Amino acid sequence: MANVAKKVSWSGRDRDEDDYDEDGRAGETTPLLNGTGPGAAAGSRQLTPSSFLRIGQLSNVDLNEDVHELETELPRQRPNEIPHNEKLLSLKYESLDYDNSENQLFLEEERRINHTAFRTVEIKRWVICAMIGILTGLVACFIDIVVENLAGLKYRVVKGNIDKFTEKGGLSFSLLLWATLNASVVMVGSVIVAFIEPVAAGSGIPQIKCYLNGVKIPHVVRLKTLVIKVCGVILSVVGGLAVGKEGPMIHSGAVIAAGISQGRSTSLKRDFKIFEYFRRDTEKRDFVSAGAAAGVSAAFGAPVGGVLFSLEEGASFWNQFLTWRIFFASMISTFTLNSVLSVYHGNAWDLSSPGLINFGRFDNEKMGYTIQEIPIFIFMGVVGGILGALFNALNYWLTMFRIRYIHRPCLQVVEAMLVAAVTATVGFVMIYCSRDCQPIQGSTVAYPLQLFCADGEYNSMATAFFNTPEKSVVNLFHDAPGSYNPMTLGMFTLMYFFLACWTYGLTVSAGVFIPSLLIGAAWGRLFGISLSYLTKGPIWADPGKYALMGAAAQLGGIVRMTLSLTVIMMEATGNVTYGFPIMLVLMTAKIVGDYFVEGLYDMHIQLQSVPFLHWEAPVTSHSLTAREVMSAPVTCLRRIERVGTVVDILSDTSSNHNGFPVVESNPGTTQVAGLRGLILRSQLIVLLKHKVFVERANLSLVQRRLKLKDFRDAYPRFPPIQSIHVSQDERECMIDLSEFMNPSPYTVPQEASLPRVFKLFRALGLRHLVVVNNRNEVVGMVTRKDLARYRLGKEGLEELSLAQT
């Protein structure tokens, strides 16, 4: 395994050594791989209080003491190159607690809820879903209106300048103006992402996919992330990058959902004391699923597609009631966006703007398809799968280069500015060199550039480059036959393919949906024109339908979505007739693309070493048992434990456990009895904070001093153990864990196979699965990382290394 000094990640920047993550564990101090560095060095010095119950004898991470001593002596500095090993799994990502802790407090609260209270909770769920839809729609309106005005201003300024210097000469100044405007706008967008909230970079879909899978990505659903995301995507699109504003809407909707469902903002330090019942990971996950669906619905005007996207790409856990609530949030989102934009465009009663991008109506009479075109559509799916695989492979190597060399925020900003300037330069040169002139009459081009064309004509290449990507896609779908020269489409496809590939992964907020559609629409239209030249038949007359199939093929080849993307494309075109060919194209693109490389989102999740669990365990893993994959040693607590022991265990950086099995054992002996329950680090932190302990072990608590409300008030950022003061006298007190622990944790025997363990862990959304022997004694613990490190490689089952990144 490579010794890696630092690795950039979604969570962003370095932290000081006294920073701790949301579980209160020592975490994310100068991300280091291979266990090397200050944090790991501290971890190698085992704290061994006599009262610790260490069970088992194997550890997942081998710590090299010589390396630790060397690292602690050397001053910390940023390396110029970061070696990166993709066969690593990061220990820094924690899991979310999707399984409710059914302790005495929880059961008593549930018993107190009567029918009226239950109905009130249900009504609140629907109210929250409605608010998610409304706010997501309003955010989408804000993005759309600001982008339209700022981009329109930029294109008018540049167009006026080009028109002026076409007559006088000196077009180099126009090029400089265009490149400078792009680079300046993108610089602002990149600076706020790189220096304020790095997790806002990209589309946000991989991060939300991980969150819904059960992985806690730091800062991913913060209010600050939403603000940076919205501002960043506006500046990216206005800056002329090969990006779209639709992808980030999914992340924005998820952040809105997470904030509203909790009824408070930790960023604003405001607690509105509403929706307290939903302050746990299980409820929050369901609302984030609704937010992601509302984002898709606002982006494409596709509420059913939004629900299916959340089901196919996002949510790991699903039920029938959740489907209906998510669909409701999606419909509200589309309706809100439609209403506001219709008023903005002066069609108050028309409701003609269902999404941020509307593909326009495809007329069946002019653009129908016949049975003999089905093989042609399948062939286009093959082309889309191959081009998508090429896109992903190039982006993979580019991302590896960025991880190794472009890991400083200032370098990331410079790269974003460079890409913006190059994009403007490429567009200008291609428009300048193109002689594809079309008559301006009847044209829908927003900013027609005449350049060297005759009066009454415009440059056709400018309709693709000199416009926002969304409008370029619609133009390629609906412009009349003969609007584009084949050479124009071929050159545009080639250049935009590489520009979009270079752009995805920059430290800016940007989506890949629209660039993929634009690339596919260009080569699809070119394919349709070629067919009409070859056959001269009337059915090939309109290349718009081939542009649609090419767009679907290219997007499917890159992101590998099938069901949801089929419905999104159908809803965006408003035509069910094309459902079957779109489905065929997407299926073919996915099958062909998967033969070569993974989808773009899965690839980026893997590059960040996230312990992501797929639907099924690796197919060849039946020979592995729970005993072979579990983590050991396991730190156990007694049912009545000394406070000092609990503090020492939580402060022990060598364990970093977040769940502790509770066993029945006499304080004076080392003999361990059977498993009695499981308690979380976060629960222990709250107990110590409120000092829920007594002086002697034989005294019981006279009255309950804590309620579930105290745990919910501390959620989601529980204080670190270092912030809790426990005096020397208090260390000798005893703490009774009986009413706070989960008395019925899920367990598996140590002989259980890996697929059986995987299925139980994945289906129930667990964070900890206790492994016991035939006497119900704890022998190990299975966590997300123990399962995620096994995957099917090209040479069979392979095991990833675990490292602190």
Side-chain angles (χ1 to χ4, degrees):
M1 181 166 56
N3 284 327
V4 181
K6 181 181 178 295
K7 174 169 172 285
V8 292
S9 69
W10 287 333
S11 56
R13 59 191 70 77
D14 298 338
R15 300 187 181 189
D16 296 330
E17 289 190 22
D18 57 351
D19 277 0
Y20 290 82
D21 70 13
E22 297 172 5
D23 273 337
R25 59 174 278 180
E28 300 177 49
T29 63
T30 311
L32 300 169
L33 294 184
N34 210 22
T36 58
S44 65
R45 296 190 291 274
Q46 301 275 338
L47 293 178
T48 54
S50 58
S51 53
F52 276 30
L53 290 176
R54 293 279 187 180
I55 299 190
Q57 48 192 321
L58 299 174
S59 177
N60 279 331
V61 184
D62 296 324
L63 300 174
N64 188 324
E65 293 181 7
D66 296 332
V67 177
H68 298 326
E69 292 173 7
L70 180 64
E71 283 286 336
T72 51
E73 291 170 6
L74 292 173
R76 272 196 288 174
Q77 55 186 354
R78 289 184 181 272
N80 290 325
E81 179 186 352
I82 299 177
H84 177 58
N85 186 348
E86 65 179 76
K87 295 191 176 179
L88 288 176
L89 208 60
S90 174
L91 287 169
K92 69 173 249 187
Y93 293 109
E94 291 302 326
S95 292
L96 295 161
D97 292 302
Y98 284 168
D99 181 44
N100 289 324
S101 177
E102 294 186 346
N103 55 22
Q104 291 183 27
L105 300 182
F106 177 82
L107 293 176
E108 289 176 11
E109 182 186 77
E110 290 295 306
R111 289 191 197 104
R112 285 197 301 270
I113 294 180
N114 55 26
H115 182 70
T116 305
F118 173 77
R119 300 288 294 184
T120 303
V121 168
E122 277 298 299
I123 291 171
K124 284 182 179 178
R125 284 197 178 99
W126 286 95
V127 169
I128 291 171
C129 286
M131 293 172 66
I132 290 169
I134 291 169
L135 286 180
T136 304
L138 291 176
V139 167
C141 290
F142 175 77
I143 291 174
D144 190 58
I145 291 170
V146 174
V147 165
E148 183 180 333
N149 285 282
L150 290 182
L153 177 64
K154 184 192 82 171
Y155 287 127
R156 283 193 297 273
V157 169
V158 175
K159 180 181 183 303
N161 193 272
I162 290 175
D163 290 344
K164 183 173 75 173
F165 282 101
T166 303
E167 299 172 4
K168 296 181 179 179
L171 277 170
S172 56
F173 181 78
S174 300
L175 168 60
L176 186 64
L177 174 67
W178 192 0
T180 304
L181 282 174
N182 276 15
S184 303
V185 173
V186 169
M187 180 188 73
V188 178
S190 184
V191 163
I192 61 175
V193 171
F195 289 95
I196 300 178
E197 198 53 271
V199 80
S203 67
I205 295 175
Q207 292 93 315
I208 295 304
K209 196 172 175 180
C210 290
Y211 183 90
L212 294 173
N213 189 260
V215 182
K216 181 185 289 182
I217 306 293
H219 299 216
V220 74
V221 288
R222 297 269 185 90
L223 177 62
K224 184 167 72 171
T225 304
L226 175 65
V227 174
I228 300 301
K229 193 86 181 182
V230 170
C231 297
V233 73
I234 290 171
L235 293 168
S236 299
V237 176
V238 173
L241 291 175
V243 298
K245 54 182 181 281
E246 281 67 23
M249 277 308 306
I250 296 164
H251 191 178
S252 302
V255 180
I256 290 168
I260 291 176
S261 64
Q262 304 305 292
R264 69 176 174 192
S265 169
T266 48
S267 300
L268 298 177
K269 295 182 172 52
R270 295 290 303 275
D271 189 345
F272 299 100
K273 300 296 181 185
I274 56 175
F275 308 141
E276 285 183 324
Y277 181 81
F278 305 118
R279 289 179 186 174
R280 56 177 186 261
D281 287 338
T282 316
E283 297 283 354
K284 194 172 180 179
R285 172 199 70 208
D286 291 347
F287 290 120
V288 168
S289 298
V296 175
S297 182
F300 295 97
V304 179
V307 175
L308 293 175
F309 174 87
S310 197
L311 172 61
E312 182 183 8
E313 284 292 304
S316 303
F317 315 98
W318 203 263
N319 62 57
Q320 189 175 3
F321 297 110
L322 184 61
T323 308
W324 186 227
R325 287 201 299 270
I326 289 180
F327 182 61
F328 176 70
S330 297
M331 290 295 292
I332 293 292
S333 174
T334 301
F335 180 76
T336 303
L337 178 82
N338 204 338
S339 302
V340 175
L341 286 186
S342 295
V343 171
Y344 175 75
H345 292 303
N347 305 317
W349 305 106
D350 193 15
L351 298 182
S352 55
S353 305
L356 292 184
I357 180 169
N358 184 3
F359 293 162
R361 296 284 171 184
F362 283 79
D363 191 350
N364 284 344
E365 294 181 7
K366 288 195 302 181
M367 301 176 64
Y369 68 96
T370 60
I371 194 73
Q372 63 261 34
E373 291 180 273
I374 298 296
I376 295 173
F377 294 149
I378 294 174
F379 175 74
M380 293 181 75
V382 172
V383 174
I386 294 171
L387 289 177
L390 177 63
F391 185 99
N392 292 358
L394 291 174
N395 191 260
Y396 173 85
W397 294 112
L398 183 59
T399 305
M400 291 286 286
F401 178 83
R402 285 178 172 135
I403 289 173
R404 288 172 176 163
Y405 298 100
I406 312 177
H407 46 80
R408 299 178 183 175
C410 53
L411 291 177
Q412 293 168 345
V413 173
V414 170
E415 187 199 14
M417 293 174 63
L418 175 64
V419 175
V422 169
T423 303
T425 304
V426 168
F428 184 88
V429 170
M430 291 188 67
I431 293 170
Y432 182 84
C433 296
S434 173
R435 292 296 178 266
D436 184 8
C437 297
Q438 302 293 337
I440 206 166
Q441 291 178 348
S443 170
T444 57
V445 182
Y447 309 103
L449 282 179
Q450 183 178 356
L451 216 59
F452 301 114
C453 293
D455 290 340
E457 293 184 341
Y458 68 94
N459 189 302
S460 185
M461 181 69 83
T463 60
F465 265 113
F466 200 70
N467 217 333
T468 56
E470 288 85 356
K471 290 179 181 174
S472 298
V473 170
V474 177
N475 289 339
L476 285 169
F477 284 164
H478 293 289
D479 280 354
S483 299
Y484 298 90
N485 189 302
M487 181 61 72
T488 299
L489 292 172
M491 290 301 298
F492 174 79
T493 301
L494 182 66
M495 298 309 299
Y496 208 80
F497 181 91
F498 290 107
L499 286 174
C501 187
W502 190 12
T503 304
Y504 190 79
L506 288 178
T507 311
V508 294
S509 297
V512 76
F513 269 91
I514 299 302
S516 304
L517 290 172
L518 184 51
I519 296 165
W523 69 255
R525 192 175 180 97
L526 177 62
F527 188 83
I529 292 171
S530 304
L531 277 178
S532 65
Y533 281 165
L534 291 173
T535 60
K536 306 293 184 185
I539 191 64
W540 325 109
D542 198 324
K545 63 182 170 188
Y546 296 102
L548 177 65
M549 297 306 158
Q554 186 67 49
L555 183 54
I558 290 174
V559 301
R560 308 292 160 74
M561 291 158 51
T562 50
L563 176 64
S564 55
L565 194 53
T566 302
V567 176
I568 287 170
M569 297 288 282
M570 283 167 53
E571 289 185 280
T573 56
N575 195 323
V576 184
T577 310
Y578 289 113
F580 181 69
I582 288 173
M583 181 187 72
L584 279 181
V585 164
L586 289 172
M587 284 177 58
T588 309
K590 176 176 170 56
I591 292 168
V592 173
D594 283 342
Y595 180 78
F596 296 104
V597 293
E598 289 183 297
L600 190 65
Y601 300 143
D602 291 330
M603 190 182 74
H604 277 263
I605 289 171
Q606 182 180 315
L607 280 171
Q608 294 297 334
S609 305
V610 179
F612 186 89
L613 295 181
H614 295 281
W615 286 108
E616 299 287 343
V619 291
T620 59
S621 59
H622 280 83
S623 58
L624 291 172
T625 63
R627 181 170 56 246
E628 295 172 273
V629 304
M630 68 187 186
S631 293
V634 180
T635 302
C636 293
L637 296 172
R638 301 181 181 91
R639 191 175 57 79
I640 298 177
E641 189 61 272
R642 195 172 68 90
V643 172
T645 301
V646 175
V647 173
D648 289 339
I649 288 174
L650 295 181
S651 304
D652 178 13
T653 56
S654 68
S655 66
N656 284 334
H657 295 312
N658 288 289
F660 302 93
V662 180
V663 297
E664 192 67 66
S665 179
N666 297 320
T669 68
T670 57
Q671 184 179 0
V672 179
L675 175 69
R676 292 292 177 267
L678 181 77
I679 194 162
L680 300 175
R681 172 184 289 266
S682 56
Q683 294 173 311
L684 293 171
I685 290 283
V686 175
L687 296 183
L688 292 175
K689 180 182 176 183
H690 289 272
K691 302 191 183 302
V692 184
F693 32 76
V694 292
E695 292 181 7
R696 295 193 303 278
N698 58 359
L699 292 179
S700 60
L701 292 174
V702 179
Q703 59 181 2
R704 180 165 296 111
R705 298 169 56 188
L706 284 188
K707 296 181 179 179
L708 274 183
K709 182 181 183 302
D710 298 299
F711 293 91
R712 288 170 180 156
D713 286 343
Y715 177 85
R717 291 205 282 272
F718 297 95
I721 183 63
Q722 285 72 17
S723 68
I724 296 173
H725 176 70
V726 178
S727 67
Q728 198 59 41
D729 291 337
E730 289 172 334
R731 287 178 62 88
E732 301 304 319
C733 293
M734 306 302 291
I735 185 168
D736 189 350
L737 306 177
S738 302
E739 61 181 343
F740 306 108
M741 69 181 186
N742 182 2
S744 55
Y746 291 101
T747 62
V748 289
Q750 54 187 347
E751 292 81 18
S753 68
L754 174 59
R756 183 170 288 271
V757 173
F758 190 99
K759 189 175 293 185
L760 179 66
F761 194 96
R762 179 74 169 78
L764 297 175
L766 302 182
R767 187 177 184 183
H768 303 99
L769 184 59
V770 185
V771 183
V772 296
N773 59 17
N774 53 9
R775 296 189 300 276
N776 199 37
E777 295 170 350
V778 180
V779 295
M781 184 89 81
V782 174
T783 62
R784 168 177 292 273
K785 300 174 186 77
D786 299 317
L787 298 176
R789 64 185 170 142
Y790 294 97
R791 75 177 184 196
L792 196 61
K794 291 182 179 177
E795 283 127 21
L797 192 67
E798 59 184 19
E799 182 178 352
L800 306 183
S801 304
L802 297 176
Q804 187 71 40
T805 61

